[in-house]
Amino acid sequence: QVQLKETGGGLVQTGNSLRLSCAASGRTFSRYAMGWFRQAPGAEREFVVGISGIGAITYYADSVKGRFTISRDNVKNMVYLQMNSLKPEDTAVYYCAAALRPLPSTRRGEYDYWGQGTQVTVSS
């Protein structure tokens, strides 16, 4: 069982930055690939970025490449999402997710555990 808790959301202006954090419980954190997804009002939950269990491999959605960076600290059981050059279309609830597999997946169904989400709002 893994419990996930996201923090760091908020209201920012276009072009600014935010850093989201995801704290994970459990002693086998490095066995889990981690992902960030987001869901805007009226939209499907979509993949943003994923990272492998040891952090060597990352996948990014085209919409965030070059602006967002995922990282993890397996000693602290933490995953981070650094979001730069934010745009109004980045506005969404951001969810942290864990998958018991070595490589991240872009598919929601591959993830076993989810956090409650944190709201990110980017004003124009």
Side-chain angles (χ1 to χ4, degrees):
Q1 186 78 9
V2 175
Q3 293 183 324
L4 304 172
K5 174 65 176 175
E6 305 94 335
T7 56
L11 172 64
V12 296
Q13 292 185 326
T14 296
N16 284 1
S17 300
L18 273 178
R19 187 194 197 205
L20 305 184
S21 298
C22 174
S25 66
R27 292 179 288 179
T28 58
F29 182 60
S30 62
R31 295 178 61 193
Y32 290 84
M34 300 297 295
W36 286 96
F37 287 73
R38 67 186 181 186
Q39 188 167 18
E44 295 280 327
R45 191 172 298 188
E46 64 175 4
F47 172 80
V48 177
V49 59
I51 188 168
S52 62
I54 60 172
I57 295 171
T58 56
Y59 300 154
Y60 290 87
D62 288 343
S63 58
V64 306
K65 279 181 183 176
R67 300 189 299 122
F68 290 14
T69 303
I70 189 172
S71 61
R72 66 188 295 162
D73 184 332
N74 285 350
V75 174
K76 296 181 179 179
N77 281 16
M78 296 290 295
V79 179
Y80 306 100
L81 181 62
Q82 178 66 43
M83 305 186 295
N84 298 330
S85 303
L86 283 161
K87 305 174 182 179
E89 50 264 44
D90 295 319
T91 295
V93 177
Y94 283 71
Y95 297 90
C96 177
L100 187 57
R101 50 184 284 153
L103 297 177
S105 171
T106 62
R107 296 182 291 186
R108 289 181 299 171
E110 298 287 340
Y111 289 82
D112 305 292
Y113 302 100
W114 293 83
Q116 294 296 310
T118 185
Q119 176 71 46
V120 171
T121 303
V122 185
S123 64
S124 56

